[in-house]
Amino acid sequence: MALRWCLRGLALGRAIGSSSSRLQLQQSTNNALFSARSLPQALQWWRSRADAPLPPSSPLPLIHLPPPDESKHRGSAEGDPLTFSAFSSSVDEVEVAKFAAIADTWWDSDGPFKPLHSMNPTRLSFIRSALCRHFGRDPNCAKPLEGLKIVDVGCGGGILSEPLARMGAVVTGIDAVEKNIKIANLHAELDPVTSSIEYRCATAEKMAEEQQTFDAVISLEVIEHVSDPAGFCKSLGDLAVPDGAIVISTINRTIRSYAVTIVAAEYILGWLPKGTHQWSSFVTPEELVLIMQRASISVQEMAGFVYNPLTGEWSLSDDTSVNYVACGIKRNP
Amino acid sequence: MKSKIEKKLLSQHQLNAVAAGCLSRNYGRTFCSVVEGGESSSCPKAEDKTDQGEKFERTSKAEPYDIAIVGGGMVGMAFACALSRNPMTKHLTVAIIDNNPALGFKTSFKRSEIPDPRVSTVTPATISFFRDIGAWEYVLQQRHAYFDKMQVIFPFIGLGLHWVGYTRYNARDVGKECLGCVVENKVLHYSLLSSFQSGAELQWALYPARLSSMTVPSPRSVSSRIMSQLEDSPSGRFVKLDLSDGNTLHARLVVGADGSKSNVREMAALKSTQRSYSQSAIICTVEHAVENDCAWQRFLPSGPIALLPVGDRFSNVVWSMRPEEASAHKSMDGDDLAKAINRAMDDGHGPQPGSGVLGGYVERISSFTSWWGPSSSAAEPFRAPPRVTAVASERMVFPLSLMHAHDYVTRRVALVGDAAHTVHPLAGQGVNMGFGDASALAKVIAEGVSVGTDLGELTLLKRYEKERKAGNATMMAILDGFQKAFAVDAGPLNLLRAAAFHGAQYIPPLKRNIISYASGDQKWPLFS
Ligand SMILES: Cc1cc2nc3c(=O)[nH]c(=O)nc-3n(C[C@H](O)[C@H](O)[C@H](O)COP(=O)(O)OP(=O)(O)OC[C@H]3O[C@@H](n4cnc5c(N)ncnc54)[C@H](O)[C@@H]3O)c2cc1C
Ligand SMILES: C[S@@+](CC[C@H](N)C(=O)[O-])C[C@H]1O[C@@H](n2cnc3c(N)ncnc32)[C@H](O)[C@@H]1O
C-alpha cells in the first residue's frame, strides 16, 4: 500500500518524504537495477531526486509551456500506473493521433524523428550486447542475432526493426497506427535484407491474446505514450517465451528530463513537435523496475543514454536521469 | 504494388546478366557464379593458394551489392582488403569496378628488373595498416627500402644573399625504427591484391570496365516520396551504376577510389577546390655507385628535388620545375640528365653549408643551440648526397596541383584517396593519406555493421569524413605552405620562412612534431 502511495506521489510530482516508503521501494527493487552504480551512490541519487523541487510551470516567460502535471488527461487512462487493465487496450488515442500526423517523416533523419535516428546506434549497441550476453551469442560477428525471433512493439516506421533484421533477427514489427505500418512496409521492401520483416498493425495486447511468443520483446520509447504502462508491460511479458528477453527504453521523470525533452527538444530546439511528450507520463527507473517485476520480468541490466551536444552523438552511461533502457528476463511461470 | 517475389525475380535476372557479362570478359580468371532462389551460397574457393591470379570468385545474390568500389588502385584495393580482414565486414558483398589490367594479372617482379619510377614513401602508420590487413608480408618479399635518415637542404634567399641551410631528421629522434619505406607503387598494388585474394571471405566480383554513369537516389525521395516510389524499380533506394561494358549494377554504398580525376566525385556532384602551381614534376629511377640509405630533399629556387632510396643501388628522383623545363629535361640525353640531377642535389646552387662566412655563422648558431636541445641529430654534420651515375628508367612528367573535395561523402557515396585529395609529391604523403582514408572508412563501416546500420546512411559516412577531413586539410596546408615558402620570387618572406623551418632543427619538440606528423601518427601538428 505504501508503495502504491509512493508511486502515486511520484506521479503527481510530489516529493517523497516518508523514509518507510523509500525503504519499501529499495527492498522491492531488484538489486540488478543498480548494476551500473553502487548502492550508496544510488541512494544519494535517489535522495537528491526526492528532495528536488517541482519544475517551474513556465521556466521561460516567452514560451508557453504545458505545466508538468497531470492536468492533460489521457485517453483511456486509469490513473493508477499499477492497475492492470488486461482487457482494455493500452492505446492512448490522443498520443496515437500525434504519431499518425507525422508518419510520412519517419525516415527523414532531419525530421521530427531525428532524436530517434541519432540515438539508434547507441541503443542498438546496448541491445546487441545485452542479447548476446543473454543468448550466449558471439558479439564479434556481423549477424549476432541470427535466427532470434524478435517483436518490436510500437515500431513506428521501422527505425529499429530494420537494423535488427540486418543483425540477423527474424523481426515482427507492430504498431497501433496503421499509417506507420504502411510506411514501415514500404521502406523495408525497398531492400531485400529488410523485406523479410513482418509488419502488422496491432497492439501488444492483441498479439498476446493470440498467444504469439518471441525470444525477445523490444519496445523503445513507447511506454511513455501508452495509457496504462503496467498493463502494457504485462502484455510485453506475455509476448516473451520463458527466459526470453524484454527490452524497454523510455524517459525518466526528473527535472533534467523536463528541461531536456520538453523545454529544449520541443520548445527551444524544435526537434520534436510541441506536445510530443507529457512529462507526467514519464516513468522513473524505479517505477519501471516495479511494473516489470509485477509482469514477471526480472530486470538484469539498465543503462542511461546521454547526448553530447558538441558531437551530436549519444553514448551509454550510468546516468539514467533522462533517457534510459532496461533489459529484463521473463521468469518461468 | 509489386510483390516481393516479382522484385526478386527482376533483380535476379539483372544479376544473371551481370554474371554473364563478367564471364565473357574475364582476364583468364575463374569466375564462378552461384544463383539460387535469391539465397546466396558462396562458391568453393580455389584451392591453389599460390596461384592467386586464379582465385577470383564470384557469388551472385539476387540483391544489390553492399559496396561498389570504383577504382581498384592502391587505395581502392587497400579498402577492399581492410573490409575482408575485419570479422564485422568480411561477409559483405563487394563489386570492384576497374578496367586497369594490373588488376587482372598476377605479376611477379624480378629483383633484377630496374625499379619503376612510380614509387611511394610509405609512413610507419601505413606500414602498420598494411600489417593489419596482411599485405606487408608481400611487400617484404619484393624490393623495398626502409630509411631512417632524411636530410633536407634549402636555400636562404634574401637581403641580396644566397646561402644554404640543412636539416637532418633521424628516426631515433622520435623513438622509431625508421622514418618510412620507399616501395614501388606496383609492388604495393600487387601486395594488396595478393593479400585480398588469399584472405578474402568477402563475396566479391571484379567488373573489368569503367564507370560511365551513376544515379544516386535523391535524399528526399525515400522520406517524402516514399508512397510514389512504389512503382519504381526495386532498387530505387540504391545507387545505380552503369558500366562501359553495358552492365548495370546497384549498390548500397559507392566508394569512389578512382583517382584525382574521379568520375564518382563528379557524378555525385561533390565540389572540390583545385590549385595548380604552374609546375611539373619529372620522375625517374637513377643508379648510384653505392647504396643510398637516406631520403634527400633539396629546395631549389625552381622547385624541390627529392632523391629517395628504392633499394639495391637505385634511387627515385622527383624533381619539380617549370613545365617547359620539365619537358626539356624529359627529352635530355641520359648523361646530361644525370649531371643535371647531381648539380641540383649537390652543387651549382650556392655554397655548401659551412663553406662560406654565413654558412659558418649558421653552424655556430647550431652548435650553440644544440646544447640545450636533446635532439641527437641536431649536431650531425652535413652529408653530401650520393652521386648519380646513370638514369636507369624512362622519365615521366606530371603537372603539380592540389585538389581537395569540400565534402568526402554524400548519401550512399564516399570518396577515398586521390579522389578526395590530391597533393603534389613533395613530402611523399599522397598515398599515405589515401591509406588513412581506406582504414578509417573500413572501420566506420564495421561499426555501422555492428549496429545494423544501412551502409549508405549519411550520418554513418559523415563520421568517416569527420575523422579524415580536418587532418588531411592540415597536411595539405603544410604542403601548400612548403610549396609557397620555397617557391621562386617569394621575396623577403622566403628568408623568414626558411629561417623558421631551419629553426625547427634546433627546437626538438617542434621537429619531433613535424616528423611524427609526416610519419602519419599525429593528428594535430604544431603549425598548419
Ligand atoms: C609524380 C608523382 C609522384 C608521387 N609520389 C608519391 C610519393 O612519393 N608518395 C606518395 O605517398 N604518393 C605519391 N604520389 C601520389 C600517389 O601516386 C597517389 O596518391 C596514389 O596513386 C593515389 O591512389 P588512388 O588509389 O587513390 O588513385 P589511383 O592510383 O589514381 O587509382 C585510381 C584507379 O581508378 C581507376 N579508375 C579511374 N576512373 C575510373 C572509372 N571511371 N571507372 C573505373 N575505374 C576507374 C583507375 O584505372 C585506377 O586504377 C605521387 C603522385 C605523382 C603524380
Ligand atoms: C516514439 S515512437 C517510437 C518508435 C520506435 N519504437 C523507435 O523507438 O524508433 C512511439 C510509437 O509507439 C506507437 N504506439 C503508441 N502507443 C502504442 C500502443 N499502445 N501499442 C502499440 N504502439 C503504440 C506510436 O504509434 C509510435 O509509432
Side-chain angles (χ1 to χ4, degrees):
Chain A
M1 204 50 227
L3 190 74
R4 226 175 127 132
W5 175 86
C6 161
L7 279 171
R8 269 232 210 142
L10 262 179
L12 292 167
R14 220 180 287 138
I16 307 163
S18 139
S19 59
S20 69
S21 66
R22 207 181 294 160
L23 202 82
Q24 182 102 21
L25 252 171
Q26 284 303 334
Q27 279 170 352
S28 55
T29 303
N30 188 327
N31 275 344
L33 157 65
F34 296 114
S35 56
R37 56 172 98 225
S38 69
L39 200 62
Q41 236 185 328
L43 271 171
Q44 202 187 348
W45 168 78
W46 173 259
R47 229 172 269 131
S48 66
R49 277 198 51 242
D51 299 340
L54 264 175
S57 62
S58 191
L60 293 169
L62 291 179
I63 301 171
H64 177 73
L65 283 169
D69 61 19
E70 292 250 289
S71 65
K72 195 120 178 185
H73 87 103
R74 347 179 65 203
S76 56
E78 295 271 323
D80 186 336
L82 283 189
T83 309
F84 290 117
S85 51
F87 302 106
S88 76
S89 162
S90 66
V91 174
D92 180 325
E93 301 299 338
V94 180
E95 290 291 312
V96 152
K98 288 180 198 165
F99 287 104
I102 50 173
D104 304 336
T105 61
W106 272 108
W107 287 97
D108 180 355
S109 56
D110 278 325
F113 295 107
K114 180 178 173 168
L116 294 179
H117 282 279
S118 69
M119 242 170 132
N120 231 12
T122 312
R123 55 193 202 169
L124 280 152
S125 73
F126 175 86
I127 292 172
R128 175 192 184 87
S129 60
L131 296 188
C132 282
R133 215 167 9 247
H134 180 62
F135 292 103
R137 299 300 182 98
D138 171 18
N140 203 21
C141 72
K143 293 185 190 275
L145 308 183
E146 192 90 65
L148 280 184
K149 230 180 125 195
I150 298 183
V151 63
D152 176 9
V153 178
C155 60
I159 297 177
L160 186 82
S161 300
E162 290 196 9
L164 290 173
R166 282 192 201 95
M167 288 158 77
V170 179
V171 182
T172 303
I174 63 168
D175 200 284
V177 175
E178 179 80 53
K179 205 167 162 198
N180 290 346
I181 291 300
K182 227 182 219 150
I183 298 283
N185 250 323
L186 285 172
H187 195 269
E189 283 201 3
L190 292 174
D191 190 333
V193 175
T194 49
S195 62
S196 60
I197 300 174
E198 199 184 312
Y199 285 113
R200 256 186 83 177
C201 181
T203 60
E205 300 82 61
K206 177 103 189 301
M207 300 285 279
E209 261 168 49
E210 293 174 13
Q211 308 214 313
Q212 304 226 33
T213 54
F214 300 86
D215 298 315
V217 180
I218 303 181
S219 185
L220 305 192
E221 312 305 318
V222 179
I223 199 164
E224 68 270 26
H225 299 286
V226 306
S227 62
D228 166 19
F232 178 73
C233 205
K234 177 153 190 321
S235 306
L236 297 185
D238 291 344
L239 288 175
V241 296
D243 231 25
I246 292 97
V247 181
I248 298 175
S249 80
T250 185
I251 305 175
N252 199 343
R253 189 176 63 254
T254 59
I255 291 157
R256 271 207 60 192
S257 75
Y258 181 78
V260 173
T261 62
I262 297 176
V263 181
E266 294 181 16
Y267 287 82
I268 298 175
L269 300 173
W271 278 3
L272 300 175
K274 292 187 178 93
T276 301
H277 288 117
Q278 303 304 314
W279 185 77
S280 57
S281 357
F282 291 170
V283 180
T284 68
E286 295 72 20
E287 291 162 357
L288 184 64
V289 168
L290 281 175
I291 57 179
M292 284 172 85
Q293 277 188 331
R294 297 275 300 256
S296 304
I297 303 163
S298 60
V299 175
Q300 306 284 310
E301 287 180 67
M302 206 173 233
F305 296 129
V306 291
Y307 180 72
N308 180 344
L310 293 179
T311 60
E313 285 177 11
W314 293 79
S315 56
L316 285 173
S317 130
D318 61 0
D319 173 7
T320 55
S321 65
V322 184
N323 294 86
Y324 68 97
V325 60
C327 175
I329 304 304
K330 169 77 174 293
R331 286 194 300 265
N332 291 318
Chain B
M1 193 200 284
K2 258 184 207 160
S3 77
K4 280 179 202 168
I5 293 161
E6 265 176 319
K7 287 177 185 175
K8 281 215 170 110
L9 280 176
L10 182 59
S11 47
Q12 188 169 325
H13 176 77
Q14 289 166 340
L15 263 146
N16 282 334
V18 164
C22 271
L23 278 166
S24 64
R25 303 270 314 249
N26 75 60
Y27 277 99
R29 289 176 300 275
T30 45
F31 282 97
C32 138
S33 154
V34 182
V35 182
E36 41 171 68
E39 285 303 301
S40 73
S41 72
S42 54
C43 62
K45 287 194 169 184
E47 302 82 348
D48 189 1
K49 281 229 165 193
T50 54
D51 193 0
Q52 275 108 4
E54 295 297 316
K55 237 182 125 278
F56 282 69
E57 55 186 75
R58 168 94 179 89
T59 300
S60 290
K61 280 191 158 189
E63 349 188 306
Y65 284 96
D66 286 318
I67 302 178
I69 303 173
V70 182
M74 290 189 282
V75 175
M77 285 317 299
F79 173 66
C81 233
L83 290 178
S84 75
R85 295 288 169 146
N86 188 315
M88 287 294 168
T89 49
K90 65 183 185 191
H91 69 288
L92 297 174
T93 55
V94 173
I96 299 173
I97 301 157
D98 197 331
N99 65 346
N100 182 350
L103 278 160
F105 299 101
K106 178 192 160 78
T107 334
S108 61
F109 314 111
K110 291 189 201 77
R111 275 202 93 115
S112 57
E113 274 173 31
I114 301 289
D116 198 85
R118 275 162 299 196
V119 302
S120 293
T121 314
V122 297
T123 60
T126 294
I127 294 172
S128 85
F129 171 55
F130 266 55
R131 283 211 181 94
D132 289 348
I133 61 177
W136 195 246
E137 54 183 280
Y138 293 97
V139 174
L140 293 180
Q141 289 163 18
Q142 306 286 331
R143 181 168 31 218
H144 61 279
Y146 284 105
F147 63 96
D148 61 357
K149 294 189 265 307
M150 193 160 115
Q151 178 167 302
V152 181
I153 312 161
F154 45 85
F156 283 61
I157 310 161
L159 310 175
L161 300 167
H162 186 174
W163 34 283
V164 218
Y166 71 96
T167 299
R168 282 178 68 82
Y169 295 107
N170 201 310
R172 274 176 295 151
D173 294 355
V174 281
K176 283 202 156 72
E177 298 258 302
C178 72
L179 287 174
C181 188
V182 184
V183 192
E184 289 155 71
N185 285 356
K186 65 177 185 189
V187 168
L188 290 173
H189 195 233
Y190 156 82
S191 302
L192 291 163
L193 280 172
S194 302
S195 168
F196 181 65
Q197 289 168 41
S198 72
E201 279 180 48
L202 226 51
Q203 299 175 352
W204 66 287
L206 174 75
Y207 290 81
R210 313 284 292 175
L211 174 70
S212 42
S213 79
M214 184 174 99
T215 323
V216 184
S218 83
R220 297 278 154 208
S221 66
V222 176
S223 49
S224 42
R225 291 199 293 113
I226 190 164
M227 296 289 193
S228 61
Q229 273 211 344
L230 212 47
E231 305 305 324
D232 286 4
S233 78
S235 302
R237 201 172 143 197
F238 306 117
V239 184
K240 182 165 160 271
L241 301 131
D242 295 309
L243 310 189
S244 57
D245 61 2
N247 273 320
T248 293
L249 50 137
H250 295 91
R252 294 184 170 87
L253 170 65
V254 173
V255 173
D258 49 349
S260 53
K261 295 196 179 74
S262 172
N263 289 127
V264 172
R265 188 181 67 228
E266 194 182 304
M267 290 167 189
L270 288 166
K271 289 200 189 70
S272 63
T273 304
Q274 312 254 353
R275 174 172 300 164
S276 53
Y277 291 99
S278 66
Q279 275 209 313
S280 290
I282 178 165
I283 61 170
C284 61
T285 306
V286 295
E287 216 172 335
H288 305 290
V290 289
E291 184 156 349
N292 176 15
D293 63 346
C294 175
W296 308 85
Q297 191 152 38
R298 179 166 185 162
F299 290 93
L300 302 170
S302 55
I305 180 169
L307 191 70
L308 305 166
V310 286
D312 303 335
R313 282 182 189 170
F314 296 104
S315 283
N316 182 263
V317 168
V318 183
W319 189 359
S320 308
M321 53 185 80
R322 277 193 299 278
E324 58 279 11
E325 281 181 310
S327 46
H329 280 80
K330 192 180 178 195
S331 51
M332 205 178 261
D333 172 74
D335 284 345
D336 291 344
L337 182 58
K339 268 187 213 136
I341 294 168
N342 282 328
R343 209 166 40 238
M345 281 311 298
D346 199 4
D347 44 37
H349 288 273
Q352 291 292 318
S355 63
V357 180
L358 277 160
Y361 176 65
V362 170
E363 277 217 316
R364 259 204 310 283
I365 292 180
S366 62
S367 54
F368 171 72
T369 48
S370 60
W371 287 345
W372 51 266
S375 174
S376 52
S377 59
E380 273 183 31
F382 175 83
R383 266 177 58 192
R387 294 192 76 79
V388 169
T389 54
V391 174
S393 74
E394 57 169 328
R395 305 156 208 179
M396 296 175 168
V397 171
F398 298 88
L400 293 188
S401 64
L402 210 60
M403 183 282 300
H404 203 189
H406 298 182
D407 297 302
Y408 289 10
V409 302
T410 176
R411 245 179 80 81
R412 302 208 173 278
V413 178
L415 303 176
V416 289
D418 274 24
H421 42 73
T422 312
V423 299
H424 48 73
L426 196 61
Q429 284 300 316
V431 83
N432 292 299
M433 285 160 73
F435 290 139
D437 296 346
S439 166
L441 182 60
K443 263 196 208 112
V444 163
I445 287 173
E447 282 166 21
V449 167
S450 80
V451 289
T453 311
D454 175 351
L455 300 183
E457 217 173 74
L458 186 60
T459 42
L460 182 72
L461 301 177
K462 277 279 176 202
R463 281 179 32 212
Y464 152 70
E465 180 183 271
K466 200 161 136 195
E467 195 178 325
R468 294 300 302 167
K469 206 170 100 178
N472 286 345
T474 313
M475 192 68 233
M476 296 183 81
I478 292 173
L479 293 178
D480 191 36
F482 274 127
Q483 181 72 26
K484 284 202 200 107
F486 300 105
V488 220
D489 300 331
L493 251 190
N494 199 343
L495 178 63
L496 289 178
R497 292 209 194 203
F501 185 65
H502 194 205
Q505 162 85 356
Y506 304 107
I507 308 167
L510 174 63
K511 185 174 156 188
R512 206 166 294 141
N513 220 304
I514 294 172
I515 309 181
S516 21
Y517 199 73
S519 58
D521 55 15
Q522 194 155 332
K523 282 216 164 115
W524 302 105
L526 274 175
F527 66 114
S528 60

